Amino acid sequence: MSTSTPTNAPAQVLRPDRKKNRLGYNILALVTAVIMAFPVYWLVVSSLRPNHEIRSYDQTLWPSSLTFDNFARAVKQDNFATAIQSSLIVSVTAVVGGMIIATLAALAIGRFRFFGRKALMMVMILVQMLPPTAMLIPIYLQLNALGGIDEYWGLIVVYLVSTLPFATIMIRGFVINIPVELEESAMVDGCTRMGAFRRVIFPLLAPGLAAASIFSLVNAWNEYLFAYILINDNSKYTLNVWLMTFTTERGTDYGALMAASTLISIPVVIFFMIIQGKMATGLTSGAVKG
Amino acid sequence: MTAADTQAAGPPVPVPDAPEKTGKSPSTQDAAGPRPKKRRTKGELLPYLLILPAILAIAAVYVYPLAKTVIMSFQDLGRAALWGNAEAEWVGFEQFTVILGDADFWWVVVRTIVFMTVCVVLTMGLGLLIALMMLRLSTWVRLTLTVALVAAWSMPLMVAASVFRWLSDSDYGLINTLLADITGNEDKWLGHNWFLDPVQGFGIIMVLVVWGAIPFVVITLYAALTQVPKELEEAAALDGASAFGVYRFVTWPVIKPVFIMVATLSVIWDFNVFGQIWLLRGNKPEPEYETLGLYSFSKAFESTSFSQGSAIALITVLLLSGVAVYYLRQLIKTGEVE
């Protein structure tokens, strides 16, 4: 600022203008942030509100007092424990199985040139675009014929495969960034192919696996349509389907529904906090290296 | 997977493929050259063994059902055939002629396309504006906005739908209370049912869909925008280009591939919106709230005409296949599939 040579003049003219602009953008951005976060705020606040405020014709933005009654009602709702169990069994199995299959396929695509490799990748990208409702009817009929309705395995297979293409393509990005020489030198030093994989490749793949598995977990945890159609047994409902039990003929228990929704979101939020960091490293290491 | 579930899902990660070309071929030749033949055949089989589980799984959940959908849409599959008591009858194109001759179906198609178009335009437009805005913020404001976006993004679809149903509830909803307070017209807004008129109802559903999709779009586009070289923008500005000119000729070419990819995904997701409508209508969507996905679903599972449901699903796939081919071409251009 102190030096005022002629060349600096235009910059000086620009500066206050820019600052004013930035203030405007900042205010606009804060408004956007409030709008985006509002439903989340409303969820949490409603779940902590006393029931008479929930069923009030005059809604207020701030609660007058906080209570855990809604949570108590939500937890006492039938099948809460079994719904957690179902969601956990289905999600975890689908993710673990999916990661194993995706890693094998990613190694093949990333490490070998074989006939049909390109076609496989195209199929993987294309199948992700098929509408799930198109798959729903034949999958339902087929599982019905195989006795897979009301069984976890049907849901597990569907969830596993629905994230498989994405997971494979993501892990492949990590595979091709690991130099083949690393693997070869381990084998020269006396490792078997499996040994080389376990000691050298696997640790380097770990961040990619973490990101892909959290992505799959969120997907399985949030899925609704297939869970609703393939599972009819109340005691095997997943959490998302269980949420519907708060709506009865006589109306909706919004307080308990909000409390239950909050409980269901907590694991997703935690996974998301992890995914943010991992995903960022995953994406940049895939895109920048090489 | 489903339109909305995949909101948490990203597009395939674009990854350059240089190393495998340079690093691979010579080394495999080295390894294969001096070794006995047996070893080489084993090496050639290995990739196929590795992809076998993936191929089987994809075939079971995607390829086989899709083929089955095609077959079923040419049959008449009712309850009896479903339980194995009767053979499904071949009816040729009858399912298609019935559906295509049904005025209801065409209303559903128009509704789906209009809804999808409005949602995608709003999502991409607002998403791009917010992403561009993020470049011009103080650090702490950008951080605040990112946290808000991630919070919205991490909310499970079904949970978000519950919240929006509660917000738009006719008796206990915040929207009605706020509108009554702001306009002072209590008679009009208190107890107002947003879903009596499908245009208003779809308005609420649209807000939910756009709100849920914006975080993914903004974060992806913002990542792309940070790749735009600052020097180029500054040079263009010094050369006298207007703000729009800089955007048009410097910024846009860099973010275009990402923008098109996200827009294409949005088209597919919004075309197949299911859960949002399903839950906002309390598990029983009225006919005037049916989009193609729900229409196919209700034909199959409520009218138990699985063949009609399949035919509708197949028509949906055909309608979207143009978008799918376009998307694939973009990916080939950017080098995702080599």
Side-chain angles (χ1 to χ4, degrees):
Chain A
M1 285 293 207
S2 56
T3 53
S4 53
T5 51
T7 41
N8 268 355
Q12 275 184 343
V13 176
L14 274 177
R15 219 165 272 157
D17 204 38
R18 254 191 213 164
K19 247 188 189 156
K20 216 196 315 175
N21 271 343
R22 173 164 284 185
L23 181 67
Y25 285 127
N26 279 344
I27 293 169
L28 202 59
L30 288 175
V31 173
T32 313
V34 168
I35 295 172
M36 290 308 293
F38 185 76
V40 183
Y41 163 79
W42 196 246
L43 167 73
V44 177
V45 158
S46 302
S47 67
L48 291 168
R49 254 173 203 220
N51 210 21
H52 65 88
E53 271 186 45
I54 297 252
R55 300 189 75 82
S56 147
Y57 292 100
D58 196 20
Q59 293 290 319
T60 50
L61 286 170
W62 319 108
S64 63
S65 62
L66 298 179
T67 162
F68 284 97
D69 286 356
N70 296 321
F71 284 92
R73 275 208 316 291
V75 170
K76 265 189 250 150
Q77 180 84 359
D78 287 346
N79 296 321
F80 175 57
T82 55
I84 295 181
Q85 198 191 333
S86 297
S87 278
L88 278 177
I89 292 174
V90 171
S91 307
V92 172
T93 321
V95 170
V96 173
M99 287 309 110
I100 294 171
I101 298 177
T103 307
L104 294 179
L107 282 171
I109 294 173
R111 274 284 185 264
F112 300 93
R113 305 204 139 256
F114 54 91
F115 176 76
R117 174 166 158 280
K118 230 178 179 178
L120 178 66
M121 284 192 67
M122 288 222 202
V123 168
M124 287 210 166
I125 288 165
L126 273 180
V127 293
Q128 295 190 93
M129 313 187 58
L130 290 171
T133 40
M135 304 289 110
L136 184 64
I137 301 164
I139 286 177
Y140 173 79
L141 294 177
Q142 195 55 39
L143 277 177
N144 194 34
L146 294 171
I149 301 293
D150 278 345
E151 298 289 343
Y152 290 137
W153 62 264
L155 216 48
I156 290 171
V157 171
V158 171
Y159 291 170
L160 188 159
V161 179
S162 64
T163 48
L164 189 60
F166 179 83
T168 307
I169 291 167
M170 184 157 193
I171 297 170
R172 166 189 166 268
F174 284 80
V175 170
I176 62 175
N177 283 317
I178 301 170
V180 192
E181 291 75 27
L182 268 182
E183 208 176 335
E184 279 168 355
S185 58
M187 278 159 78
V188 167
D189 290 346
C191 273
T192 58
R193 189 161 218 136
M194 262 319 283
F197 175 76
R198 195 168 53 83
R199 285 162 208 238
V200 180
I201 309 293
F202 187 73
L204 292 169
L205 280 185
L209 278 171
S213 60
I214 290 160
F215 163 78
S216 306
L217 198 54
V218 170
N219 182 70
W221 192 260
N222 287 347
E223 208 284 330
Y224 175 77
L225 179 57
F226 279 88
Y228 176 76
I229 287 298
L230 300 182
I231 304 286
N232 302 316
D233 181 349
N234 297 1
S235 64
K236 285 186 174 170
Y237 278 171
T238 60
L239 284 165
N240 284 307
V241 181
W242 172 77
L243 270 191
M244 283 313 297
T245 59
F246 290 97
T247 305
T248 62
E249 297 287 310
R250 285 173 295 129
T252 304
D253 182 353
Y254 280 114
L257 178 63
M258 292 302 121
S261 298
T262 309
L263 290 177
I264 292 176
S265 315
I266 290 172
V268 183
V269 172
I270 294 171
F271 297 146
F272 236 89
M273 286 173 173
I274 308 167
I275 206 180
Q276 274 305 101
K278 292 281 185 198
M279 273 280 255
T281 25
L283 290 171
T284 48
S285 69
V288 174
K289 276 187 221 156
Chain B
M1 192 166 76
T2 67
D5 300 5
T6 1
Q7 271 166 11
V13 187
V15 178
D17 44 271
E20 56 188 316
K21 272 177 202 147
T22 48
K24 248 237 85 185
S25 9
S27 58
T28 32
Q29 271 162 17
D30 288 351
R35 277 180 193 153
K37 232 181 182 170
K38 213 173 140 199
R39 170 110 202 161
R40 209 204 274 164
T41 39
K42 199 178 161 196
E44 276 164 11
L45 265 181
L46 186 60
Y48 291 103
L49 282 176
L50 292 176
I51 60 169
L52 189 66
I55 289 186
L56 287 178
I58 289 173
V61 177
Y62 285 113
V63 181
Y64 173 78
L66 193 62
K68 182 106 180 161
T69 305
V70 176
I71 293 170
M72 281 193 320
S73 61
F74 290 102
Q75 294 177 329
D76 188 8
L77 194 66
R79 273 262 174 241
L82 173 62
W83 302 115
N85 298 331
E87 278 293 306
E89 198 188 327
W90 290 91
V91 295
F93 283 95
E94 195 190 304
Q95 305 291 5
F96 291 95
T97 49
V98 169
I99 292 164
L100 297 177
D102 184 357
D104 283 353
F105 168 77
W106 290 104
W107 275 118
V108 173
V109 172
V110 169
R111 190 181 300 135
T112 309
I113 291 174
V114 170
F115 176 74
M116 178 273 288
T117 310
V118 176
C119 283
V120 171
V121 169
L122 279 177
T123 308
M124 296 311 297
L126 289 173
L128 183 60
L129 287 178
I130 298 173
L132 284 168
M133 183 171 76
M134 277 179 86
L135 291 171
R136 293 162 177 79
L137 302 177
S138 314
T139 315
W140 70 270
V141 179
R142 187 183 311 133
L143 207 68
T144 312
L145 184 54
T146 311
V147 170
L149 289 170
V150 170
W153 193 359
S154 64
M155 206 156 152
L157 163 74
M158 285 302 134
V159 173
S162 308
V163 174
F164 272 77
R165 186 149 65 98
W166 164 230
L167 284 169
S168 61
D169 188 280
S170 53
D171 291 330
Y172 313 121
L174 179 72
I175 296 176
N176 284 348
T177 310
L178 283 184
L179 279 173
D181 282 354
I182 292 165
T183 61
N185 191 345
E186 297 208 345
D187 297 338
K188 181 161 187 234
W189 294 114
L190 288 185
H192 176 72
N193 186 342
W194 289 87
F195 292 94
L196 276 183
D197 175 3
V199 175
Q200 288 186 10
F202 269 111
I204 303 271
I205 296 166
M206 212 160 58
V207 173
L208 168 60
V209 170
V210 173
W211 171 83
I214 275 183
F216 168 69
V217 174
V218 171
I219 289 170
T220 316
L221 286 180
Y222 176 69
L225 281 169
T226 55
Q227 304 296 311
V228 180
K230 275 250 152 35
E231 309 80 56
L232 266 183
E233 286 182 320
E234 273 162 23
L238 279 179
D239 286 350
S242 64
F244 182 75
V246 173
Y247 173 77
R248 169 82 181 72
F249 295 106
V250 181
T251 316
W252 174 247
V254 177
I255 63 165
K256 192 181 159 201
V258 176
F259 186 88
I260 288 179
M261 186 180 71
V262 177
T264 316
L265 288 170
S266 300
V267 168
I268 291 159
W269 291 335
D270 292 349
F271 208 84
N272 291 304
V273 157
F274 188 98
Q276 289 96 328
I277 303 176
W278 181 260
L279 209 83
L280 278 176
R281 295 315 306 127
N283 263 5
K284 294 178 206 67
E286 298 84 346
E288 60 266 30
Y289 280 97
E290 276 174 350
T291 55
L292 275 168
L294 287 153
Y295 190 59
S296 157
F297 179 89
S298 72
K299 281 275 185 235
F301 290 95
E302 274 149 36
S303 319
T304 53
S305 174
F306 291 98
S307 286
Q308 288 223 348
S310 300
I312 296 162
L314 200 62
I315 294 171
T316 312
V317 174
L318 290 177
L319 284 174
L320 278 176
S321 61
V323 186
V325 169
Y326 179 73
Y327 175 69
L328 201 64
R329 281 189 46 177
Q330 287 295 326
L331 285 179
I332 292 169
K333 256 195 227 161
T334 52
E336 174 59 29
V337 184
E338 81 285 2

